Amino acid sequence: MPKILIVGGGYAGFYTAWKLEKQLRKGEAEVTMVDPLPYMTYQPFLPEVAAGSIEPRHAVVAHRRHLTKTNIISAKVTYIDHAKKTATIEPLVGESYEFEYDIVVVTAGAVSRTFPIPGVADQALGLKTIEEAVAIRDKVLTNFDKAAKLPAGPERDRLLTFVVVGGGFAGIEIFAELRSFASALLKNYPEISFEDTHFHLIEAMGRIMPEVSLPTSHWVIKNLAQRGAEIHLDTQLSSAVDGVIELSTGESFETDLIVWTAGVMANPTIVRHTDLPIEERGRLRVRADLRVGTDEEIVKDAWGAGDVSAVPDLTGGGVGGYCVPNAQHAVRQGKLLAKNIIADLRGELPRQYFHKNLGAVAGLGVGVGVFQSGKLAIKGLPAWWAHRGYHGLAMPSWERKWRVVGDWIGGFFLGRDIVSLSAVQAPRAVFEEFASRPKPPAVESAPAVEAPKKAPARKTAAKKETVEVPAK
């Protein structure tokens, strides 16, 4: 059987493996997927996880539960040598080894792209992983706990000031969800007033959410302003050293939470360690049919999809002629990729990827959303229902859908869960503090060194010499 190696278990990789399992004939191919994480993260739910509306584990899909026919390897791929058709695999435990394949599928995704701004690497959190979303939620809750016992002053203001960098969809959604979360927390913290909380979003461009129309983006800005959140347009972050925010406008303030959402880049672990062709922006060069290569030349037995790949957008709506890196494209590309691989195995021609964006929908906190499709714009509660309906259906597997819907229903009747589990970052701290330890062995005292005995004093009395006198 030909061996198919899928590098990456995110949207595109998971859906490729999932569809291959359903569509491959028995014995037609052997599929192996390599990813250091045991799950796929449904990233559109990360803002709601950070805001306490969805249980973190419900926003991820376990590989081994849903990919029952795929060989799952929890490891990193550190090099792809397609000339030899081998991949270097670095497992979580043990030594690296070479994995031979017949077909490689590169779906390694993207990571947060940052700029060399002082303090960002040391202070900020991204929004690409479930762990980051959980850390953001716990940070907000912990800061409320600390601030509730502090008098008014700079330290209290620092704890209750929250900053998001980046005004794209991800940035606006996490910004609005955190504003909604903080407002909901106030009833549980009578020591903190609405005016005590401060929210700032920093965007270098002159507008937010380029996926929606300009009037719709203006409505979002106005809505957030009415809810006590400030958006700084045409503004760059100059420094964030020790949480001191310095803006290009000269404004400065302190914060204890910085969320960075200002762009992504192809996973450098893969694109910098392969002999496959990489385009000028650092992504895998992929054709419209998802085969690696160009219109003139095809790299045989190599495929790519998702955020790590530069997939041509045949609709003409993509930035620079390529599909934008988002879940909507990655999911659809993964599904088509499975069909194209099977078609290629059976001697058929693969189909080109073509998807015209039907619209964009965003959640802006409980009860508030925005939807844009062409010139049609829906705002407020109806758009929020559309957001939850779309993503609830898009979540892979009915098992996951029911868990997420259960969170939403529970939140409607019971409210958000406001328990901070920040101590989970050091789970053994309490145990170690009170754990009994064996007493250190007693140190045996060294035997006393006896002083050398002095020789007994000699009597020095002179012997009496007897002189014999001859008799007369």
PDB file of all heavy atoms in Angstrom, residues 143-144 146-163 191-200 243 245 252-257:
ATOM      1  N   ASN A 143      -6.919  38.873  37.864  1.00  0.00           N
ATOM      2  CA  ASN A 143      -6.741  40.317  38.025  1.00  0.00           C
ATOM      3  C   ASN A 143      -7.930  40.956  38.726  1.00  0.00           C
ATOM      4  O   ASN A 143      -7.769  41.891  39.520  1.00  0.00           O
ATOM      5  CB  ASN A 143      -6.505  40.976  36.667  1.00  0.00           C
ATOM      6  CG  ASN A 143      -5.088  40.775  36.163  1.00  0.00           C
ATOM      7  OD1 ASN A 143      -4.332  39.979  36.731  1.00  0.00           O
ATOM      8  ND2 ASN A 143      -4.712  41.461  35.116  1.00  0.00           N
ATOM      9  N   PHE A 144      -9.133  40.469  38.438  1.00  0.00           N
ATOM     10  CA  PHE A 144     -10.308  40.983  39.157  1.00  0.00           C
ATOM     11  C   PHE A 144     -10.206  40.648  40.643  1.00  0.00           C
ATOM     12  O   PHE A 144     -10.531  41.475  41.503  1.00  0.00           O
ATOM     13  CB  PHE A 144     -11.582  40.397  38.551  1.00  0.00           C
ATOM     14  CG  PHE A 144     -12.240  41.292  37.538  1.00  0.00           C
ATOM     15  CD1 PHE A 144     -11.661  41.484  36.288  1.00  0.00           C
ATOM     16  CD2 PHE A 144     -13.421  41.955  37.814  1.00  0.00           C
ATOM     17  CE1 PHE A 144     -12.249  42.301  35.343  1.00  0.00           C
ATOM     18  CE2 PHE A 144     -14.026  42.786  36.890  1.00  0.00           C
ATOM     19  CZ  PHE A 144     -13.443  42.965  35.643  1.00  0.00           C
ATOM     20  N   LYS A 146      -7.480  40.239  42.408  1.00  0.00           N
ATOM     21  CA  LYS A 146      -6.451  41.088  43.023  1.00  0.00           C
ATOM     22  C   LYS A 146      -6.933  42.525  43.170  1.00  0.00           C
ATOM     23  O   LYS A 146      -6.756  43.153  44.221  1.00  0.00           O
ATOM     24  CB  LYS A 146      -5.183  41.061  42.171  1.00  0.00           C
ATOM     25  CG  LYS A 146      -4.454  39.731  42.138  1.00  0.00           C
ATOM     26  CD  LYS A 146      -3.246  39.805  41.214  1.00  0.00           C
ATOM     27  CE  LYS A 146      -2.486  38.490  41.174  1.00  0.00           C
ATOM     28  NZ  LYS A 146      -1.322  38.546  40.231  1.00  0.00           N
ATOM     29  N   ALA A 147      -7.545  43.044  42.098  1.00  0.00           N
ATOM     30  CA  ALA A 147      -7.955  44.452  42.104  1.00  0.00           C
ATOM     31  C   ALA A 147      -9.062  44.723  43.116  1.00  0.00           C
ATOM     32  O   ALA A 147      -9.170  45.832  43.653  1.00  0.00           O
ATOM     33  CB  ALA A 147      -8.408  44.863  40.705  1.00  0.00           C
ATOM     34  N   ALA A 148      -9.886  43.715  43.399  1.00  0.00           N
ATOM     35  CA  ALA A 148     -11.013  43.922  44.314  1.00  0.00           C
ATOM     36  C   ALA A 148     -10.547  44.292  45.713  1.00  0.00           C
ATOM     37  O   ALA A 148     -11.304  44.919  46.477  1.00  0.00           O
ATOM     38  CB  ALA A 148     -11.874  42.662  44.364  1.00  0.00           C
ATOM     39  N   LYS A 149      -9.331  43.937  46.076  1.00  0.00           N
ATOM     40  CA  LYS A 149      -8.839  44.207  47.424  1.00  0.00           C
ATOM     41  C   LYS A 149      -7.829  45.361  47.468  1.00  0.00           C
ATOM     42  O   LYS A 149      -7.227  45.606  48.509  1.00  0.00           O
ATOM     43  CB  LYS A 149      -8.192  42.952  48.005  1.00  0.00           C
ATOM     44  CG  LYS A 149      -9.142  41.766  48.089  1.00  0.00           C
ATOM     45  CD  LYS A 149     -10.400  42.103  48.890  1.00  0.00           C
ATOM     46  CE  LYS A 149     -11.370  40.940  48.937  1.00  0.00           C
ATOM     47  NZ  LYS A 149     -12.640  41.321  49.619  1.00  0.00           N
ATOM     48  N   LEU A 150      -7.673  46.054  46.365  1.00  0.00           N
ATOM     49  CA  LEU A 150      -6.723  47.160  46.313  1.00  0.00           C
ATOM     50  C   LEU A 150      -7.448  48.500  46.325  1.00  0.00           C
ATOM     51  O   LEU A 150      -8.537  48.628  45.750  1.00  0.00           O
ATOM     52  CB  LEU A 150      -5.859  47.070  45.048  1.00  0.00           C
ATOM     53  CG  LEU A 150      -4.799  45.967  44.981  1.00  0.00           C
ATOM     54  CD1 LEU A 150      -4.112  45.982  43.623  1.00  0.00           C
ATOM     55  CD2 LEU A 150      -3.779  46.145  46.093  1.00  0.00           C
ATOM     56  N   PRO A 151      -6.844  49.505  46.933  1.00  0.00           N
ATOM     57  CA  PRO A 151      -7.427  50.851  46.847  1.00  0.00           C
ATOM     58  C   PRO A 151      -7.183  51.429  45.455  1.00  0.00           C
ATOM     59  O   PRO A 151      -6.358  50.932  44.692  1.00  0.00           O
ATOM     60  CB  PRO A 151      -6.644  51.635  47.913  1.00  0.00           C
ATOM     61  CG  PRO A 151      -5.324  50.938  47.980  1.00  0.00           C
ATOM     62  CD  PRO A 151      -5.613  49.483  47.743  1.00  0.00           C
ATOM     63  N   ALA A 152      -7.930  52.467  45.130  1.00  0.00           N
ATOM     64  CA  ALA A 152      -7.750  53.120  43.834  1.00  0.00           C
ATOM     65  C   ALA A 152      -6.315  53.606  43.704  1.00  0.00           C
ATOM     66  O   ALA A 152      -5.728  54.140  44.648  1.00  0.00           O
ATOM     67  CB  ALA A 152      -8.724  54.278  43.699  1.00  0.00           C
ATOM     68  N   GLY A 153      -5.732  53.397  42.536  1.00  0.00           N
ATOM     69  CA  GLY A 153      -4.347  53.797  42.333  1.00  0.00           C
ATOM     70  C   GLY A 153      -3.770  53.151  41.096  1.00  0.00           C
ATOM     71  O   GLY A 153      -4.445  52.396  40.384  1.00  0.00           O
ATOM     72  N   PRO A 154      -2.501  53.408  40.800  1.00  0.00           N
ATOM     73  CA  PRO A 154      -1.864  52.897  39.575  1.00  0.00           C
ATOM     74  C   PRO A 154      -1.868  51.380  39.467  1.00  0.00           C
ATOM     75  O   PRO A 154      -2.091  50.845  38.382  1.00  0.00           O
ATOM     76  CB  PRO A 154      -0.429  53.440  39.686  1.00  0.00           C
ATOM     77  CG  PRO A 154      -0.518  54.618  40.597  1.00  0.00           C
ATOM     78  CD  PRO A 154      -1.601  54.300  41.563  1.00  0.00           C
ATOM     79  N   GLU A 155      -1.634  50.666  40.585  1.00  0.00           N
ATOM     80  CA  GLU A 155      -1.576  49.208  40.517  1.00  0.00           C
ATOM     81  C   GLU A 155      -2.952  48.627  40.189  1.00  0.00           C
ATOM     82  O   GLU A 155      -3.074  47.682  39.407  1.00  0.00           O
ATOM     83  CB  GLU A 155      -1.064  48.634  41.838  1.00  0.00           C
ATOM     84  CG  GLU A 155      -1.014  47.101  41.890  1.00  0.00           C
ATOM     85  CD  GLU A 155      -0.096  46.491  40.847  1.00  0.00           C
ATOM     86  OE1 GLU A 155       0.741  47.219  40.267  1.00  0.00           O
ATOM     87  OE2 GLU A 155      -0.218  45.276  40.594  1.00  0.00           O
ATOM     88  N   ARG A 156      -3.983  49.201  40.760  1.00  0.00           N
ATOM     89  CA  ARG A 156      -5.355  48.739  40.476  1.00  0.00           C
ATOM     90  C   ARG A 156      -5.714  49.003  39.015  1.00  0.00           C
ATOM     91  O   ARG A 156      -6.310  48.157  38.343  1.00  0.00           O
ATOM     92  CB  ARG A 156      -6.326  49.458  41.404  1.00  0.00           C
ATOM     93  CG  ARG A 156      -7.710  48.814  41.508  1.00  0.00           C
ATOM     94  CD  ARG A 156      -8.472  49.491  42.639  1.00  0.00           C
ATOM     95  NE  ARG A 156      -9.664  48.779  42.995  1.00  0.00           N
ATOM     96  CZ  ARG A 156     -10.887  49.110  42.560  1.00  0.00           C
ATOM     97  NH1 ARG A 156     -11.027  50.132  41.741  1.00  0.00           N
ATOM     98  NH2 ARG A 156     -11.958  48.423  42.947  1.00  0.00           N
ATOM     99  N   ASP A 157      -5.341  50.174  38.524  1.00  0.00           N
ATOM    100  CA  ASP A 157      -5.603  50.515  37.119  1.00  0.00           C
ATOM    101  C   ASP A 157      -4.858  49.558  36.184  1.00  0.00           C
ATOM    102  O   ASP A 157      -5.389  49.144  35.151  1.00  0.00           O
ATOM    103  CB  ASP A 157      -5.180  51.954  36.832  1.00  0.00           C
ATOM    104  CG  ASP A 157      -6.105  52.974  37.483  1.00  0.00           C
ATOM    105  OD1 ASP A 157      -7.237  52.597  37.836  1.00  0.00           O
ATOM    106  OD2 ASP A 157      -5.686  54.133  37.650  1.00  0.00           O
ATOM    107  N   ARG A 158      -3.631  49.206  36.542  1.00  0.00           N
ATOM    108  CA  ARG A 158      -2.844  48.299  35.700  1.00  0.00           C
ATOM    109  C   ARG A 158      -3.512  46.930  35.603  1.00  0.00           C
ATOM    110  O   ARG A 158      -3.585  46.342  34.525  1.00  0.00           O
ATOM    111  CB  ARG A 158      -1.438  48.150  36.280  1.00  0.00           C
ATOM    112  CG  ARG A 158      -0.487  47.316  35.427  1.00  0.00           C
ATOM    113  CD  ARG A 158       0.870  47.186  36.108  1.00  0.00           C
ATOM    114  NE  ARG A 158       0.797  46.320  37.271  1.00  0.00           N
ATOM    115  CZ  ARG A 158       0.927  44.996  37.231  1.00  0.00           C
ATOM    116  NH1 ARG A 158       1.130  44.387  36.075  1.00  0.00           N
ATOM    117  NH2 ARG A 158       0.866  44.280  38.331  1.00  0.00           N
ATOM    118  N   LEU A 159      -4.027  46.437  36.720  1.00  0.00           N
ATOM    119  CA  LEU A 159      -4.664  45.124  36.729  1.00  0.00           C
ATOM    120  C   LEU A 159      -5.962  45.105  35.939  1.00  0.00           C
ATOM    121  O   LEU A 159      -6.365  44.060  35.413  1.00  0.00           O
ATOM    122  CB  LEU A 159      -4.932  44.679  38.168  1.00  0.00           C
ATOM    123  CG  LEU A 159      -3.707  44.358  39.015  1.00  0.00           C
ATOM    124  CD1 LEU A 159      -4.110  44.163  40.473  1.00  0.00           C
ATOM    125  CD2 LEU A 159      -2.998  43.112  38.484  1.00  0.00           C
ATOM    126  N   LEU A 160      -6.642  46.231  35.848  1.00  0.00           N
ATOM    127  CA  LEU A 160      -7.946  46.299  35.181  1.00  0.00           C
ATOM    128  C   LEU A 160      -7.858  46.956  33.804  1.00  0.00           C
ATOM    129  O   LEU A 160      -8.874  47.371  33.249  1.00  0.00           O
ATOM    130  CB  LEU A 160      -8.938  47.063  36.067  1.00  0.00           C
ATOM    131  CG  LEU A 160      -9.250  46.386  37.414  1.00  0.00           C
ATOM    132  CD1 LEU A 160     -10.177  47.252  38.240  1.00  0.00           C
ATOM    133  CD2 LEU A 160      -9.864  45.006  37.198  1.00  0.00           C
ATOM    134  N   THR A 161      -6.658  47.026  33.239  1.00  0.00           N
ATOM    135  CA  THR A 161      -6.472  47.553  31.884  1.00  0.00           C
ATOM    136  C   THR A 161      -6.069  46.399  30.973  1.00  0.00           C
ATOM    137  O   THR A 161      -5.099  45.691  31.248  1.00  0.00           O
ATOM    138  CB  THR A 161      -5.392  48.644  31.856  1.00  0.00           C
ATOM    139  OG1 THR A 161      -5.807  49.741  32.690  1.00  0.00           O
ATOM    140  CG2 THR A 161      -5.166  49.148  30.435  1.00  0.00           C
ATOM    141  N   PHE A 162      -6.826  46.205  29.894  1.00  0.00           N
ATOM    142  CA  PHE A 162      -6.624  45.073  28.994  1.00  0.00           C
ATOM    143  C   PHE A 162      -6.402  45.592  27.578  1.00  0.00           C
ATOM    144  O   PHE A 162      -7.145  46.458  27.100  1.00  0.00           O
ATOM    145  CB  PHE A 162      -7.826  44.136  29.047  1.00  0.00           C
ATOM    146  CG  PHE A 162      -8.196  43.726  30.451  1.00  0.00           C
ATOM    147  CD1 PHE A 162      -9.234  44.355  31.126  1.00  0.00           C
ATOM    148  CD2 PHE A 162      -7.484  42.741  31.108  1.00  0.00           C
ATOM    149  CE1 PHE A 162      -9.572  43.999  32.424  1.00  0.00           C
ATOM    150  CE2 PHE A 162      -7.798  42.367  32.402  1.00  0.00           C
ATOM    151  CZ  PHE A 162      -8.850  42.996  33.070  1.00  0.00           C
ATOM    152  N   VAL A 163      -5.393  45.050  26.912  1.00  0.00           N
ATOM    153  CA  VAL A 163      -4.969  45.556  25.609  1.00  0.00           C
ATOM    154  C   VAL A 163      -4.978  44.428  24.581  1.00  0.00           C
ATOM    155  O   VAL A 163      -4.496  43.323  24.855  1.00  0.00           O
ATOM    156  CB  VAL A 163      -3.552  46.174  25.693  1.00  0.00           C
ATOM    157  CG1 VAL A 163      -3.064  46.603  24.308  1.00  0.00           C
ATOM    158  CG2 VAL A 163      -3.560  47.362  26.645  1.00  0.00           C
ATOM    159  N   GLU A 191     -16.784  45.570  44.544  1.00  0.00           N
ATOM    160  CA  GLU A 191     -15.712  46.539  44.818  1.00  0.00           C
ATOM    161  C   GLU A 191     -15.232  47.240  43.540  1.00  0.00           C
ATOM    162  O   GLU A 191     -14.532  48.246  43.612  1.00  0.00           O
ATOM    163  CB  GLU A 191     -14.508  45.836  45.455  1.00  0.00           C
ATOM    164  CG  GLU A 191     -14.837  45.016  46.696  1.00  0.00           C
ATOM    165  CD  GLU A 191     -15.135  43.559  46.365  1.00  0.00           C
ATOM    166  OE1 GLU A 191     -15.523  43.281  45.207  1.00  0.00           O
ATOM    167  OE2 GLU A 191     -14.976  42.721  47.268  1.00  0.00           O
ATOM    168  N   ILE A 192     -15.594  46.676  42.375  1.00  0.00           N
ATOM    169  CA  ILE A 192     -15.120  47.209  41.098  1.00  0.00           C
ATOM    170  C   ILE A 192     -16.299  47.782  40.319  1.00  0.00           C
ATOM    171  O   ILE A 192     -17.335  47.108  40.174  1.00  0.00           O
ATOM    172  CB  ILE A 192     -14.420  46.111  40.278  1.00  0.00           C
ATOM    173  CG1 ILE A 192     -13.224  45.557  41.056  1.00  0.00           C
ATOM    174  CG2 ILE A 192     -13.967  46.642  38.918  1.00  0.00           C
ATOM    175  CD1 ILE A 192     -12.563  44.359  40.391  1.00  0.00           C
ATOM    176  N   SER A 193     -16.148  48.995  39.815  1.00  0.00           N
ATOM    177  CA  SER A 193     -17.196  49.620  39.018  1.00  0.00           C
ATOM    178  C   SER A 193     -16.868  49.515  37.528  1.00  0.00           C
ATOM    179  O   SER A 193     -15.738  49.203  37.151  1.00  0.00           O
ATOM    180  CB  SER A 193     -17.350  51.097  39.397  1.00  0.00           C
ATOM    181  OG  SER A 193     -16.194  51.833  39.017  1.00  0.00           O
ATOM    182  N   PHE A 194     -17.849  49.795  36.688  1.00  0.00           N
ATOM    183  CA  PHE A 194     -17.655  49.736  35.240  1.00  0.00           C
ATOM    184  C   PHE A 194     -16.545  50.690  34.809  1.00  0.00           C
ATOM    185  O   PHE A 194     -15.730  50.365  33.950  1.00  0.00           O
ATOM    186  CB  PHE A 194     -18.966  50.096  34.537  1.00  0.00           C
ATOM    187  CG  PHE A 194     -18.879  50.057  33.040  1.00  0.00           C
ATOM    188  CD1 PHE A 194     -19.066  48.871  32.351  1.00  0.00           C
ATOM    189  CD2 PHE A 194     -18.609  51.213  32.313  1.00  0.00           C
ATOM    190  CE1 PHE A 194     -18.978  48.840  30.961  1.00  0.00           C
ATOM    191  CE2 PHE A 194     -18.523  51.187  30.935  1.00  0.00           C
ATOM    192  CZ  PHE A 194     -18.716  49.990  30.255  1.00  0.00           C
ATOM    193  N   GLU A 195     -16.506  51.858  35.424  1.00  0.00           N
ATOM    194  CA  GLU A 195     -15.508  52.871  35.056  1.00  0.00           C
ATOM    195  C   GLU A 195     -14.095  52.459  35.442  1.00  0.00           C
ATOM    196  O   GLU A 195     -13.123  53.030  34.930  1.00  0.00           O
ATOM    197  CB  GLU A 195     -15.847  54.220  35.712  1.00  0.00           C
ATOM    198  CG  GLU A 195     -17.101  54.903  35.165  1.00  0.00           C
ATOM    199  CD  GLU A 195     -18.382  54.217  35.608  1.00  0.00           C
ATOM    200  OE1 GLU A 195     -18.340  53.457  36.623  1.00  0.00           O
ATOM    201  OE2 GLU A 195     -19.419  54.408  34.952  1.00  0.00           O
ATOM    202  N   ASP A 196     -13.957  51.487  36.327  1.00  0.00           N
ATOM    203  CA  ASP A 196     -12.624  51.045  36.747  1.00  0.00           C
ATOM    204  C   ASP A 196     -11.939  50.175  35.687  1.00  0.00           C
ATOM    205  O   ASP A 196     -10.716  50.000  35.723  1.00  0.00           O
ATOM    206  CB  ASP A 196     -12.715  50.248  38.055  1.00  0.00           C
ATOM    207  CG  ASP A 196     -13.115  51.115  39.232  1.00  0.00           C
ATOM    208  OD1 ASP A 196     -12.814  52.330  39.198  1.00  0.00           O
ATOM    209  OD2 ASP A 196     -13.738  50.587  40.174  1.00  0.00           O
ATOM    210  N   THR A 197     -12.716  49.601  34.760  1.00  0.00           N
ATOM    211  CA  THR A 197     -12.157  48.711  33.740  1.00  0.00           C
ATOM    212  C   THR A 197     -11.827  49.499  32.476  1.00  0.00           C
ATOM    213  O   THR A 197     -12.586  50.381  32.075  1.00  0.00           O
ATOM    214  CB  THR A 197     -13.138  47.581  33.409  1.00  0.00           C
ATOM    215  OG1 THR A 197     -14.363  48.129  32.918  1.00  0.00           O
ATOM    216  CG2 THR A 197     -13.400  46.736  34.639  1.00  0.00           C
ATOM    217  N   HIS A 198     -10.702  49.163  31.854  1.00  0.00           N
ATOM    218  CA  HIS A 198     -10.241  49.901  30.664  1.00  0.00           C
ATOM    219  C   HIS A 198      -9.832  48.908  29.578  1.00  0.00           C
ATOM    220  O   HIS A 198      -9.035  47.999  29.828  1.00  0.00           O
ATOM    221  CB  HIS A 198      -9.051  50.794  31.020  1.00  0.00           C
ATOM    222  CG  HIS A 198      -9.270  51.620  32.259  1.00  0.00           C
ATOM    223  ND1 HIS A 198     -10.049  52.755  32.283  1.00  0.00           N
ATOM    224  CD2 HIS A 198      -8.834  51.448  33.541  1.00  0.00           C
ATOM    225  CE1 HIS A 198     -10.070  53.265  33.498  1.00  0.00           C
ATOM    226  NE2 HIS A 198      -9.343  52.478  34.287  1.00  0.00           N
ATOM    227  N   PHE A 199     -10.362  49.106  28.383  1.00  0.00           N
ATOM    228  CA  PHE A 199     -10.069  48.235  27.252  1.00  0.00           C
ATOM    229  C   PHE A 199      -9.559  49.065  26.087  1.00  0.00           C
ATOM    230  O   PHE A 199     -10.185  50.047  25.685  1.00  0.00           O
ATOM    231  CB  PHE A 199     -11.320  47.452  26.836  1.00  0.00           C
ATOM    232  CG  PHE A 199     -11.656  46.326  27.763  1.00  0.00           C
ATOM    233  CD1 PHE A 199     -12.318  46.561  28.957  1.00  0.00           C
ATOM    234  CD2 PHE A 199     -11.284  45.025  27.448  1.00  0.00           C
ATOM    235  CE1 PHE A 199     -12.614  45.526  29.817  1.00  0.00           C
ATOM    236  CE2 PHE A 199     -11.574  43.978  28.313  1.00  0.00           C
ATOM    237  CZ  PHE A 199     -12.240  44.225  29.494  1.00  0.00           C
ATOM    238  N   HIS A 200      -8.402  48.639  25.537  1.00  0.00           N
ATOM    239  CA  HIS A 200      -7.781  49.349  24.414  1.00  0.00           C
ATOM    240  C   HIS A 200      -7.440  48.363  23.304  1.00  0.00           C
ATOM    241  O   HIS A 200      -6.819  47.316  23.564  1.00  0.00           O
ATOM    242  CB  HIS A 200      -6.492  50.049  24.861  1.00  0.00           C
ATOM    243  CG  HIS A 200      -6.692  51.091  25.916  1.00  0.00           C
ATOM    244  ND1 HIS A 200      -6.947  52.410  25.631  1.00  0.00           N
ATOM    245  CD2 HIS A 200      -6.679  50.990  27.276  1.00  0.00           C
ATOM    246  CE1 HIS A 200      -7.076  53.094  26.757  1.00  0.00           C
ATOM    247  NE2 HIS A 200      -6.918  52.251  27.773  1.00  0.00           N
ATOM    248  N   GLY A 243       5.018  45.797  30.624  1.00  0.00           N
ATOM    249  CA  GLY A 243       3.605  46.130  30.596  1.00  0.00           C
ATOM    250  C   GLY A 243       3.297  47.597  30.424  1.00  0.00           C
ATOM    251  O   GLY A 243       2.132  47.990  30.486  1.00  0.00           O
ATOM    252  N   ILE A 245       2.632  50.354  28.085  1.00  0.00           N
ATOM    253  CA  ILE A 245       2.266  50.507  26.680  1.00  0.00           C
ATOM    254  C   ILE A 245       2.630  51.912  26.219  1.00  0.00           C
ATOM    255  O   ILE A 245       2.189  52.902  26.796  1.00  0.00           O
ATOM    256  CB  ILE A 245       0.761  50.261  26.480  1.00  0.00           C
ATOM    257  CG1 ILE A 245       0.385  48.853  26.916  1.00  0.00           C
ATOM    258  CG2 ILE A 245       0.373  50.508  25.023  1.00  0.00           C
ATOM    259  CD1 ILE A 245       1.035  47.755  26.125  1.00  0.00           C
ATOM    260  N   SER A 252       0.507  56.780  26.648  1.00  0.00           N
ATOM    261  CA  SER A 252       1.156  55.715  27.407  1.00  0.00           C
ATOM    262  C   SER A 252       0.280  55.327  28.599  1.00  0.00           C
ATOM    263  O   SER A 252      -0.346  56.190  29.227  1.00  0.00           O
ATOM    264  CB  SER A 252       2.540  56.168  27.893  1.00  0.00           C
ATOM    265  OG  SER A 252       3.154  55.154  28.653  1.00  0.00           O
ATOM    266  N   PHE A 253       0.233  54.025  28.883  1.00  0.00           N
ATOM    267  CA  PHE A 253      -0.492  53.529  30.052  1.00  0.00           C
ATOM    268  C   PHE A 253       0.052  52.141  30.370  1.00  0.00           C
ATOM    269  O   PHE A 253       0.769  51.533  29.568  1.00  0.00           O
ATOM    270  CB  PHE A 253      -2.006  53.486  29.804  1.00  0.00           C
ATOM    271  CG  PHE A 253      -2.394  52.839  28.510  1.00  0.00           C
ATOM    272  CD1 PHE A 253      -2.558  51.463  28.401  1.00  0.00           C
ATOM    273  CD2 PHE A 253      -2.599  53.611  27.374  1.00  0.00           C
ATOM    274  CE1 PHE A 253      -2.915  50.870  27.219  1.00  0.00           C
ATOM    275  CE2 PHE A 253      -2.959  53.024  26.167  1.00  0.00           C
ATOM    276  CZ  PHE A 253      -3.113  51.649  26.080  1.00  0.00           C
ATOM    277  N   GLU A 254      -0.316  51.621  31.538  1.00  0.00           N
ATOM    278  CA  GLU A 254       0.191  50.317  31.978  1.00  0.00           C
ATOM    279  C   GLU A 254      -0.910  49.267  31.915  1.00  0.00           C
ATOM    280  O   GLU A 254      -2.093  49.572  32.108  1.00  0.00           O
ATOM    281  CB  GLU A 254       0.739  50.405  33.402  1.00  0.00           C
ATOM    282  CG  GLU A 254       1.994  51.264  33.517  1.00  0.00           C
ATOM    283  CD  GLU A 254       2.631  51.162  34.886  1.00  0.00           C
ATOM    284  OE1 GLU A 254       2.589  50.060  35.474  1.00  0.00           O
ATOM    285  OE2 GLU A 254       3.168  52.165  35.372  1.00  0.00           O
ATOM    286  N   THR A 255      -0.507  48.029  31.651  1.00  0.00           N
ATOM    287  CA  THR A 255      -1.453  46.926  31.575  1.00  0.00           C
ATOM    288  C   THR A 255      -0.805  45.660  32.099  1.00  0.00           C
ATOM    289  O   THR A 255       0.423  45.545  32.144  1.00  0.00           O
ATOM    290  CB  THR A 255      -1.920  46.706  30.127  1.00  0.00           C
ATOM    291  OG1 THR A 255      -2.871  45.629  30.097  1.00  0.00           O
ATOM    292  CG2 THR A 255      -0.749  46.312  29.223  1.00  0.00           C
ATOM    293  N   ASP A 256      -1.653  44.704  32.473  1.00  0.00           N
ATOM    294  CA  ASP A 256      -1.151  43.400  32.920  1.00  0.00           C
ATOM    295  C   ASP A 256      -1.537  42.295  31.939  1.00  0.00           C
ATOM    296  O   ASP A 256      -1.226  41.145  32.171  1.00  0.00           O
ATOM    297  CB  ASP A 256      -1.714  43.075  34.304  1.00  0.00           C
ATOM    298  CG  ASP A 256      -0.956  41.949  34.986  1.00  0.00           C
ATOM    299  OD1 ASP A 256       0.292  41.993  34.973  1.00  0.00           O
ATOM    300  OD2 ASP A 256      -1.600  41.021  35.511  1.00  0.00           O
ATOM    301  N   LEU A 257      -2.219  42.663  30.842  1.00  0.00           N
ATOM    302  CA  LEU A 257      -2.611  41.664  29.847  1.00  0.00           C
ATOM    303  C   LEU A 257      -2.563  42.267  28.448  1.00  0.00           C
ATOM    304  O   LEU A 257      -3.277  43.224  28.144  1.00  0.00           O
ATOM    305  CB  LEU A 257      -4.025  41.141  30.128  1.00  0.00           C
ATOM    306  CG  LEU A 257      -4.582  40.142  29.096  1.00  0.00           C
ATOM    307  CD1 LEU A 257      -3.692  38.908  29.013  1.00  0.00           C
ATOM    308  CD2 LEU A 257      -6.014  39.767  29.413  1.00  0.00           C
TER     309      LEU A 257
END
